[in-house]
Amino acid sequence: MTIENLKTNVKWWESKRWIFNIAVGLFGIYGIYDFLSTVDYEWTTEDTIGVIFWGIGANVFYSLGSLMELFDWYYFNNKIKITQGLRYLLLIGGILFSCFWTLWNTVIYFKTNYY
């Protein structure tokens, strides 16, 4: 793999980031709306800061996809071959995991702080 291939791989991951952000955001919004529509809850500044930090953290973990390709290229001499089709599996699996993790933690957060 050359530096140009690596740049192409990073560009591929970055071009899919908006899909990830929309999916995780929608699951988070659904989790928050589902809870707030059933109870009387006062939204606080801490809740807003938590949502912002959650979004930043989710994007840091999203970056692990391109980082895995870099590690495969640099340390393993492309033996894992992430670029050969495993990339889509990592993308879809990561999006699904992040969406359901976001929904699960939204439920846990509101149940422990409200009930």
Side-chain angles (χ1 to χ4, degrees):
M1 178 182 285
T2 65
I3 295 295
E4 289 304 316
N5 289 356
L6 184 62
K7 287 180 184 178
T8 303
N9 292 343
V10 170
K11 190 178 285 187
W12 185 89
W13 282 101
E14 291 304 313
S15 71
K16 307 296 186 268
R17 187 180 292 271
W18 67 273
I19 298 169
F20 173 81
N21 283 323
I22 288 174
V24 172
L26 287 175
F27 271 70
I29 289 169
Y30 173 75
I32 292 169
Y33 174 76
D34 186 45
F35 177 78
L36 294 180
S37 65
T38 58
V39 297
D40 186 30
Y41 181 80
E42 287 292 323
W43 189 264
T44 64
T45 305
E46 289 84 13
D47 294 330
T48 304
I49 292 171
V51 168
I52 291 169
F53 277 129
W54 188 268
I56 291 169
N59 276 282
V60 167
F61 280 106
Y62 178 84
S63 298
L64 291 177
S66 57
L67 188 62
M68 284 179 61
E69 288 202 37
L70 174 65
F71 276 23
D72 180 34
W73 173 66
Y74 189 77
Y75 292 111
F76 302 121
N77 295 323
N78 207 22
K79 290 180 183 169
I80 299 173
K81 299 198 185 310
I82 292 175
T83 59
Q84 301 287 330
L86 187 58
R87 182 189 286 172
Y88 281 105
L89 183 64
L90 289 172
L91 176 68
I92 293 169
I95 288 173
L96 290 174
F97 175 80
S98 296
C99 287
F100 289 113
W101 186 254
T102 298
L103 187 62
W104 173 254
N105 280 290
T106 303
V107 169
I108 295 298
Y109 173 77
F110 282 119
K111 287 208 184 254
T112 56
N113 286 328
Y114 186 75
Y115 295 113

